[in-house]
Structures are given as structure tokens and as C-alpha cells.
Amino acid sequence: MKPHEHVILEIARERERQIAVEGWTIEHDDLHSCGELADAAACYAHPAPWGVKPSAGAYPKLWPWNGLWWKPRDRRSNLIRAAALIVAEIERLDRLTVEPK
């Protein structure tokens, strides 16, 4: 396995976790049509000051949802989450371009 393939698998697993564990289904993602998924990804991708767990109750101004859903971890994990959220946004956009049968 090439090094990048390992990371891509991690992103895919995180995307699956978001769906299976967090309950963020594609139907739920489709409700976020104002860039919320990309904004959330940007928050997790940003290196500081959000790259580590901030003080209780603090979350980025760009964070699109309730602060209780802001759950940063270590830098690498945050980047995997960010990538999975970008995948969710790309999938949402792709569903918009699919013509109904």
C-alpha cells in the first residue's frame, strides 16, 4: 500500500464514522446548503488556535453549529476530520448535479 492510500483509508473511515456513529446521514448533509460542511472543515483544518483543545466553551467564530459539537483533538486527527467533512461537502454537491431518473 502506498503511503497516501493509508491516509485516504483513514479519511474514508472517518466519513463512515460520522455517518454511523454521529448520525450525520446524507439526508442530513443535504440540509446544509450554505457552506456549513466546508466551514466546519476549515475550522478543523486551521492550525491555531484550534489545533488543540481550547478552553471550555471556546470554539471558532466560523464554526457553523452549536459549540457543543466542536470536538477538536490532536492536529492530525483534526485534519482527518476536516478531510472527511470536505468529502461530505463534495458528495452533497455531486448529489445536486445528479439528474433524477
Side-chain angles (χ1 to χ4, degrees), residues 14-101:
E14 172 59 17
R15 178 72 182 121
E16 287 300 318
R17 187 200 68 78
Q18 291 169 351
I19 294 167
V21 175
E22 301 290 345
W24 307 131
T25 63
I26 61 173
E27 293 81 13
H28 179 269
D29 289 350
D30 288 347
L31 299 174
H32 296 298
S33 59
C34 296
E36 298 95 334
L37 295 168
D39 286 347
C43 291
Y44 278 118
H46 198 278
W50 309 108
V52 295
K53 189 133 182 117
S55 59
Y59 58 92
K61 290 182 184 194
L62 185 60
W63 185 249
W65 302 302
N66 185 303
L68 295 174
W69 289 108
W70 173 243
K71 302 174 188 177
R73 294 177 59 202
D74 61 276
R75 179 77 177 123
R76 189 177 188 286
S77 296
N78 288 347
L79 289 170
I80 296 293
R81 286 182 180 189
L85 284 160
I86 290 296
V87 169
E89 177 66 358
I90 293 167
E91 291 172 333
R92 187 191 70 76
L93 292 172
D94 287 350
R95 285 190 296 277
L96 291 175
T97 62
V98 174
E99 294 186 24
K101 293 181 180 184

